[in-house]
Amino acid sequence: MPELKLLLKHKARTLDEYRRIGGYAAFQKALAMDRQAVIDEIKKSGLRGRGGAGFPTWIKWNGIPKQKTKRHYVLCNADEGEPGTFKDKELMESTPHQVIEGMMIAGWATQADVGYIYIRAEFMDCARAVKSAIDEAYAEGLLGKNIQGTGWDFDLHVHLGAGSYECGEESAMMSSLMGERGMPRLKAPHAPLPTIAGLWDSPTLINNVETFACAPHIIQNGGDWYAAMGASTKNSRGTKIFSVSGHVNKPGNYEIEFGTKLSDLLELAGGIKGGALKACIPGGSSVPILNAESVAKAVIGYEEIGEVGSMVGSGGCIFFNEHTCIVALMWRTAKFYMRESCGKCTPCREGTDWLFQIHDRIIKGGGRPEDINLLKQICAQIDGRSFCGLGDAAAWPIVAALKVFPHEYEYFIQHGKSIVDTPQSKLMFPYAEPVPV
Amino acid sequence: METIHLENSRGRPKAPNPEQVELKFSDQAVQELEALLTHYPDKKSAILPTLWIAQREYGGYLPPEAIAEVAVRLQRSYAEIEGVATFYTMYHVGHPVGRHLIEVCTCLTCQVCGAYRIAERLKAKLGIDFGETTEDGVFTLEEVECLDACDRAPVLQVSDAYIGPVDEAEIDALIEKLRSDPGSGTIRLADEIVKAQLHANEQRDIR
Ligand SMILES: Cc1cc2nc3c(=O)[nH]c(=O)nc-3n(C[C@H](O)[C@H](O)[C@H](O)COP(=O)(O)O)c2cc1C
Ligand code: SF4
Ligand code: FES
């Protein structure tokens, strides 16, 4: 199946350019609609959150109290940090108004007073693009007081992070925005949902950049129109942007309709480079790794990818060729989670450190036969016992690698070197040669 | 694991005495802070943006005096501000970094695309390891996690710009180019970060 471009169809950095491709027509349409009718269109569309969890978007929008007793907030998660993902970056850089328009529609539907777009501070090109788009929108009266004579006031601010993957987790993001260390907060059922008590204890709607960017298309063309895309899948509707990288000829963002085969996505990205396909991480570093056989079978959809044992995640799809050492790859994955663990809860803080240390001794040639079981045990004690999703996400890739490529671990431990003994595979090691300890 | 010694030159610096805190923000910085405060319902929420202002005002890092000034200006404690600042990797708390901060992504895609070779080259050229600064204070080298530009792997971040894909041959030219740039990319990044959070009308009012 070819690409199906909706969000990535146009590049329109300025308001003029965006208007020329029909920009802000959906917002005007929404302003003339009843608030509930806007939410109902989102419901009909079947849109699910594009930040990683795939939660139905309309439930969040509908969860904001209809009787307003406090200020309401809209928060856009633009902290894109999942290794392998770079779709929000392109959306903000190439069509910032599309994201802003989505936030404005959401703001209107949920009676919000203020919106924030929390962008990771490394993304300066995005921040500059979004900032100038917001400036243009204010200058035209699309933001600010009494928007288009409706009596509705809505302000939108850019807020930059300062370097932390964990701040992409929604409750940690709220902590960070409120001036704290980026650590997560207690969640439902032990605490109220953010739609009731989020930022400053007020109702807060949080969605990913791509999720917001879908809203103008849904309002403009109708929820049914949107839901017709991806109808071949169980419960995934519309299009999804996949950031394809790794050993492919044409890395980049590709927008496809749900129901597309994973192997078609690989074709779109120019096919595998430098050797035969060996593995794929389809949805960012947090999701389980697949072997070539599973890639051939996989259909892209939240439930469908689950059938081969992985997840859509954030859409950060990395393909690997035959020169990839899976143990070295998992060593680096473990290092990522160790460095990014916020340290709030013990299973993740200590566990991610151990996962790294064990991988480190294996790739240095000092692995022990009992290490495989030890890794499995540690993963089992992190998964489901951590305070937030980062802990689980640190365990899943390793559990999957041990299941899909067990022989690579066994070989490395037994021989003190990788089963993939090619010059290209050596690139993956920080130490020129594995050194015995 | 390394033990942190309070007296060690790389350890945790001492907080200044509250009576001795000298406020050094420029007029521009004070006005920027006032504008940013209007974006949030309370002062505490302005801690991150204010730390960015401070990092620029204090020359690209956050010495104890900078933490103290942020604490005074936002009416929070020194300990709270220091606690927040140390959580985030892009604030340089306590110790100066080079005029140019070169950050090498070695995360998954960059790893398989040769980032460690790029890193080796940089280390050899600059004579420093990750986390170190050259003696002349020009370069600091860091290993960072995914910069989320994996289509351009291997990727470097140098101040407010991404460079990628880089190959080993380009490294020498890059270093020379940066060395001859007398400005501080570290300060420029902090400045850009502050400015991106201000609205056009707020910027017009700032002199
Ligand atoms: C460790 C961790 C990191 C996350 N990082 C991001 C991120 O960078 N961007 C994002 O949109 N969601 C991220 N999420 C998911 C958010 O918590 C949240 O589900 C999402 O922002 C909700 O928006 P959506 O419903 O539109 O997907 C992360 C979650 C976890 C546990
Ligand atoms: S799981 Fe990890 S990131 Fe999440 S709260 Fe625990 S320590 Fe922090
Ligand atoms: S892995 Fe280096 S930018 Fe993503």
Side-chain angles (χ1 to χ4, degrees):
Chain A
M1 253 196 266
E3 265 191 284
L4 181 60
K5 286 193 183 186
L6 195 62
L7 308 182
L8 294 179
K9 188 165 179 190
H10 302 283
K11 286 205 190 317
R13 270 189 84 124
T14 65
L15 184 52
D16 272 353
E17 286 166 352
Y18 190 57
R19 290 245 199 241
R20 239 174 282 142
I21 56 166
Y24 289 107
F27 176 58
Q28 300 293 351
K29 188 172 172 186
L31 287 183
M33 285 164 74
D34 185 50
R35 293 193 153 96
Q36 192 58 44
V38 173
I39 297 175
D40 290 343
E41 284 309 317
I42 301 291
K43 179 176 181 181
K44 268 193 249 166
S45 77
L47 177 65
R48 294 168 66 173
R50 303 297 193 229
F55 188 80
T57 303
W58 78 275
I59 296 181
K60 287 193 190 176
W61 290 33
N62 200 44
I64 301 284
K66 318 276 171 186
Q67 293 297 330
K68 209 172 150 181
T69 57
K70 284 178 166 178
R71 286 162 80 84
H72 290 183
Y73 295 100
V74 172
L75 175 56
C76 177
N77 189 336
D79 195 50
E80 191 164 57
E82 179 81 1
T85 318
F86 42 89
K87 64 187 176 68
D88 298 343
K89 179 165 179 286
E90 179 166 349
L91 284 172
M92 287 186 278
E93 283 175 8
S94 66
T95 13
H97 282 286
Q98 187 174 232
V99 182
I100 294 173
E101 185 179 8
M103 290 183 73
M104 286 159 63
I105 292 169
W108 167 253
T110 59
Q111 304 182 70
D113 301 275
V114 183
Y116 296 93
I117 174 158
Y118 186 118
I119 309 177
R120 67 181 288 182
E122 292 90 342
F123 276 2
M124 283 315 294
D125 286 334
C126 297
R128 285 183 282 245
V130 171
K131 176 218 162 5
S132 71
I134 290 177
D135 286 342
E136 287 181 309
Y138 267 103
E140 292 238 346
L142 289 163
L143 287 169
K145 299 258 174 283
N146 188 18
I147 295 166
Q148 312 285 305
T150 53
W152 176 54
D153 303 341
F154 186 60
D155 281 309
L156 195 54
H157 305 296
V158 171
H159 182 99
L160 289 164
S164 158
Y165 167 65
E166 176 59 7
C167 286
E169 197 278 343
E170 58 185 34
S171 65
M173 173 165 284
M174 293 185 201
S175 303
S176 179
L177 184 54
M178 292 188 284
E180 296 168 16
R181 289 167 77 88
M183 290 184 168
R185 302 177 162 237
L186 202 61
K187 288 193 196 61
H190 312 290
L193 290 164
T195 46
I196 303 299
L199 287 170
W200 303 289
D201 258 342
S202 292
T204 303
L205 173 70
I206 176 166
N207 277 127
N208 167 261
V209 169
E210 188 184 351
T211 314
F212 280 123
C214 292
H217 299 275
I218 293 167
I219 297 305
Q220 188 60 20
N221 303 299
D224 291 331
W225 166 85
Y226 189 84
M229 292 179 283
S232 68
T233 65
K234 254 194 206 128
N235 202 5
S236 315
R237 298 291 173 262
T239 64
K240 172 83 190 89
I241 305 174
F242 277 83
S243 305
V244 186
S245 71
H247 296 132
V248 294
N249 286 304
K250 291 192 293 173
N253 283 311
Y254 295 91
E255 185 172 5
I256 49 99
E257 181 180 356
F258 278 114
T260 302
K261 293 204 299 238
L262 187 54
S263 51
D264 287 347
L265 182 64
L266 176 57
E267 280 313 304
L268 283 172
I272 199 83
K273 185 173 79 175
L277 174 69
K278 174 171 182 175
C280 169
I281 298 176
S285 68
S286 302
V287 312
I289 193 164
L290 300 173
N291 59 16
E293 216 175 291
S294 300
V295 172
K297 280 192 286 195
V299 171
I300 298 172
Y302 291 102
E303 283 70 25
E304 288 72 11
I305 274 208
E307 283 165 23
V308 295
S310 195
M311 294 186 281
V312 166
S314 61
C317 184
I318 318 177
F319 289 98
F320 302 98
N321 69 20
E322 59 190 308
H323 302 293
T324 307
C325 168
I326 300 297
V327 183
L329 191 69
M330 288 303 133
W331 167 83
R332 192 61 189 78
T333 307
K335 185 168 185 177
F336 171 79
Y337 290 101
M338 174 187 72
R339 291 181 77 189
E340 297 297 341
S341 168
C342 84
K344 179 172 179 135
C345 69
T346 316
C348 167
R349 182 187 59 240
E350 302 301 318
T352 52
D353 197 41
W354 296 339
L355 291 178
F356 174 72
Q357 285 181 34
I358 295 165
H359 277 90
D360 202 44
R361 76 172 171 230
I362 297 176
I363 71 158
K364 283 176 177 163
R368 304 169 192 167
E370 64 271 23
D371 279 348
I372 291 181
N373 265 332
L374 191 54
L375 285 172
K376 285 183 186 161
Q377 274 175 27
I378 295 169
C379 288
Q381 302 212 34
I382 299 176
D383 187 10
R385 291 176 165 82
S386 299
F387 191 83
C388 84
L390 190 145
D392 305 340
W396 294 338
I398 292 167
V399 171
L402 285 165
K403 199 159 102 197
V404 183
F405 299 99
H407 52 286
E408 296 222 0
Y409 276 89
E410 286 154 13
Y411 187 95
F412 217 132
I413 290 171
Q414 209 179 349
H415 299 87
K417 61 177 187 161
S418 175
I419 196 167
V420 198
D421 209 5
T422 63
Q424 294 96 311
S425 72
K426 298 261 184 336
L427 279 183
M428 299 178 68
F429 294 86
Y431 322 105
E433 287 291 323
V435 279
V437 278
Chain B
M1 196 174 286
E2 205 187 337
T3 324
I4 297 175
H5 297 285
L6 295 185
E7 303 310 318
N8 181 322
S9 66
R10 296 277 313 159
R12 181 169 173 257
K14 261 207 155 87
N17 203 327
E19 290 85 60
Q20 288 163 353
V21 176
E22 209 186 312
L23 300 183
K24 289 197 199 141
F25 276 18
S26 60
D27 288 348
Q28 178 197 341
V30 172
Q31 290 174 42
E32 285 167 345
L33 173 55
E34 273 167 19
L36 285 166
L37 280 171
T38 65
H39 297 188
Y40 311 97
D42 60 15
K43 286 191 172 169
K44 176 176 149 247
S45 307
I47 291 179
L48 265 67
T50 312
L51 283 167
W52 279 119
I53 298 179
Q55 183 146 305
R56 181 194 67 199
E57 296 287 304
Y58 282 82
Y61 79 114
L62 297 167
E65 296 74 28
I67 303 278
E69 175 153 6
V70 174
V72 170
R73 291 198 182 269
L74 299 178
Q75 295 162 352
R76 315 295 303 182
S77 74
Y78 181 94
E80 179 181 357
I81 304 296
E82 187 191 39
V84 173
T86 50
F87 183 83
Y88 299 92
T89 55
M90 292 173 79
Y91 295 130
H92 310 299
V93 184
H95 306 283
V97 293
R99 220 166 66 217
H100 298 293
L101 181 59
I102 303 181
E103 301 182 294
V104 191
C105 173
T106 58
C107 209
L108 306 184
T109 302
C110 289
Q111 178 195 19
V112 299
C113 294
Y116 280 111
R117 291 297 94 87
I118 302 290
E120 287 309 316
R121 181 87 187 185
L122 280 163
K123 287 181 189 175
K125 261 316 264 187
L126 298 173
I128 51 175
D129 205 345
F130 283 141
E132 293 179 351
T133 302
T134 51
E135 265 175 31
D136 57 7
V138 179
F139 295 104
T140 297
L141 193 62
E142 292 283 358
E143 176 179 27
V144 292
E145 296 304 332
C146 183
L147 291 166
D148 289 75
C150 325
D151 50 340
R152 293 161 64 186
V155 188
L156 302 180
Q157 181 174 14
V158 180
S159 308
D160 61 337
Y162 279 13
I163 303 176
V166 275
D167 67 48
E168 280 182 69
E170 291 169 59
I171 296 290
D172 298 12
L174 173 70
I175 289 178
E176 285 325 307
K177 192 177 129 228
L178 289 172
R179 201 189 293 282
S180 62
D181 170 2
S184 164
T186 320
I187 298 179
R188 193 169 63 235
L189 173 61
D191 186 47
E192 289 280 311
I193 289 174
V194 174
K195 296 215 167 101
Q197 300 182 74
L198 291 165
H199 295 287
N201 64 330
E202 294 166 344
Q203 284 178 306
R204 268 194 297 275
D205 296 338
I206 293 171
R207 286 283 152 252

